């Protein structure tokens, strides 16, 4: 499986992508508004779960590495998890690729693939309040905030509200 866009190519995670996955989950600028760091054993388990082949009824997260066409460099990860007919989508990019439109482009390509090859038309994204850049990405694509969940989780001992976004491609 390969998902392509103008500047990007997304393919399933392989064992060779562990350094990228590890870096994304341990870089303060990436995780600051997402979650606290986890120990290596938990992270390795999460990585292995993302490598399990994904299919529509799988019930687990799809894991895709995002590569830039021009350089061939791995710049982040993306994926989705289908539950009750709605696919939750997400992505993480290395800090040096923030603000260049790669988040928007990767999610648009993932959604187009899901619609055209998997007949998935309902999508969801969860963003921690204050993560303005990610909210802008979702809004550019057409996501609308449908709910705020107060005190949804803790990062660094502080409670945060989640913003729940929905997008229907139909």
């Amino acid at each position: 499986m390969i998902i392509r866009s103008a500047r990007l190519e997304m393919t399933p995670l392989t064992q060779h992508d562990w350094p990228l996955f590890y870096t994304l989950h341990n870089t303060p600028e990436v995780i600051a508004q997402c979650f606290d760091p986890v120990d290596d054993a938990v992270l390795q388990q999460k990585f292995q779960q993302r490598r399990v082949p994904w299919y529509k009824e799988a019930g687990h997260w799809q894991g895709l590495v995002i590569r830039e066409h021009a350089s061939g460099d791995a710049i982040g990860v993306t994926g989705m998890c289908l539950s009750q007919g709605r696919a939750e989508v997400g992505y993480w990019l290395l800090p040096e690729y923030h603000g260049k439109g790669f988040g928007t482009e990767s999610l648009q390509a993932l959604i187009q693939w899901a619609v055209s090859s998997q007949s998935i038309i309902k999508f969801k994204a969860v963003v921690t309040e204050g993560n303005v850049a990610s909210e802008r990405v979702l809004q550019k694509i057409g996501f609308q905030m449908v709910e705020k969940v107060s005190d949804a989780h803790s990062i660094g001992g502080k409670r945060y509200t989640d913003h729940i976004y929905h997008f229907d491609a139909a």
Side-chain angles (χ1 to χ4, degrees):
M1 173 182 113
I2 300 173
I3 300 172
R4 289 187 175 93
S5 65
R7 300 179 296 162
L8 304 173
E9 180 175 287
M10 290 160 275
T11 57
L13 288 167
T14 70
Q15 193 62 41
H16 299 290
D17 298 314
W18 167 247
L20 170 68
F21 197 82
Y22 182 87
T23 299
L24 287 167
H25 285 80
N26 285 285
T27 301
E29 301 93 325
V30 176
I31 65 172
Q33 295 179 311
C34 300
F35 48 80
D36 287 325
V38 297
D39 74 28
D40 289 355
V42 171
L43 186 56
Q44 182 62 235
Q45 181 180 22
K46 183 177 179 180
F47 176 69
Q48 295 306 330
Q49 289 170 342
R50 297 293 196 280
R51 291 187 55 236
V52 173
W54 186 88
Y55 54 95
K56 192 173 177 179
E57 295 80 22
H60 62 76
W61 276 87
Q62 172 190 51
L64 302 169
V65 63
I66 305 168
R67 292 189 190 285
E68 186 183 27
H69 282 306
S71 66
D73 291 342
I75 67 169
V77 297
T78 189
M80 66 181 177
C81 182
L82 187 64
S83 176
Q84 300 176 353
R86 189 171 291 275
E88 182 174 347
V89 295
Y91 69 93
W92 296 303
L93 296 173
L94 293 169
E96 57 267 34
Y97 296 97
H98 291 177
K100 298 181 179 186
F102 291 123
T104 303
E105 186 174 333
S106 65
L107 281 183
Q108 285 174 321
L110 178 64
I111 289 169
Q112 287 175 334
W113 173 84
V115 170
S116 66
S117 71
Q118 302 295 309
S119 300
I120 299 169
I121 59 169
K122 295 178 182 257
F123 299 89
K124 170 185 176 179
V126 180
V127 179
T128 302
E129 184 174 42
N131 189 345
V132 176
S134 288
E135 291 193 87
R136 270 190 255 133
V137 165
L138 295 172
Q139 292 163 356
K140 282 181 201 173
I141 294 170
F143 280 79
Q144 300 290 318
M145 189 183 338
V146 296
E147 182 181 5
K148 291 184 180 184
V149 180
S150 299
D151 294 327
H153 62 279
S154 175
I155 303 172
K158 182 179 175 189
R159 301 299 299 174
Y160 286 89
T161 296
D162 276 344
H163 290 180
I164 312 299
Y165 281 81
H166 282 183
F167 172 72
D168 293 347

